[in-house]
Amino acid sequence: MTSVFDLAPDGPVVPVLVIEDAADAVPLARALVAGGLPLIEVTLRTPAALDAVRAIAAEVPEAVVGAGTVVSAAGVADAVAAGARFLVSPGWTGRLISAMRDSGVPFLPGVSTASEVVALLEEDVTDMKFFPAEAAGGVPYLRSLAGPLPRARFCPTGGIAPASAPAYLALPNVGCVGGSWMLPPDALATRDWARVEALARDAATLGQGLSR
């Protein structure tokens, strides 16, 4: 199965979207793609989320849209049916991993402890979301996992900002980071897509020149 990290290898940052109005999904996705962030996670936290995934999948072919906050087998099925090309969860259970694996699309189950990482490696799952990144130990914690658990690769999400993202991206076991700083609430409220595009363009440069 393709890795999430291979879907957009030149995009170091995954925008994490909470969409309240599905009508905003397409212009928002177009702004992010234009800014150089084609890998987009739409969280399943609102009634509009699945319609947003569906709209982006249908109307923004340059985007690689996925679904986040996937916490059940039903959520997996709904997300894939809507057109999600990858899945992200804040945590995991055996049943959820089975559903994600059976879906046929790449996935990132969430972890925050070494024991959870080991348990996933036993299941031959090597790509993971580290969440909540800053609260769970941040860069020092992930650096400490690289030695004993070199097979695990992470997308840290949760509390990451432009100032901290480069330190995460420099780690050998980090494939990308997730965040929402390029989606400020006031820009979304006024539908200032040009500002979102500019912030996305800045975010897309954060991994450049880093030695892994």
Side-chain angles (χ1 to χ4, degrees), residues 5-183:
F5 302 124
D6 294 333
L7 292 175
D10 297 325
V13 177
V14 180
V16 179
L17 282 58
V18 180
I19 296 181
E20 301 288 347
D21 185 346
D24 292 338
V26 167
L28 181 52
R30 286 175 176 159
L32 292 168
V33 169
L37 300 181
L39 198 64
I40 298 170
E41 175 188 337
V42 177
T43 61
L44 303 185
R45 300 182 191 178
T46 69
L50 288 173
D51 285 338
V53 171
R54 194 173 292 111
I56 294 171
E59 300 183 44
V60 193
E62 307 91 342
V64 182
V65 63
T69 321
V70 179
V71 296
S72 68
V76 169
D78 289 343
V80 173
R85 294 173 58 184
F86 66 94
L87 305 168
V88 184
S89 68
W92 66 276
T93 65
R95 183 177 299 178
L96 183 58
I97 290 296
S98 294
M100 286 181 160
R101 182 178 277 128
D102 291 345
S103 74
V105 302
F107 57 92
L108 294 172
V111 298
S112 60
T113 69
S115 294
E116 292 170 325
V117 175
V118 170
L120 283 178
L121 291 175
E122 286 185 345
E123 298 287 337
D124 288 326
V125 176
T126 59
D127 297 348
M128 310 173 195
K129 171 181 176 175
F130 181 60
F131 175 82
E134 288 289 279
V139 170
Y141 192 89
L142 283 178
R143 184 183 295 117
S144 71
L145 294 182
L149 302 169
R151 292 177 59 217
R153 296 180 70 201
F154 301 95
C155 176
T157 303
I160 298 176
S164 58
Y168 282 98
L169 291 168
L171 296 174
N173 56 350
V174 168
C176 61
V177 299
S180 58
W181 69 84
M182 73 296 298
L183 306 161

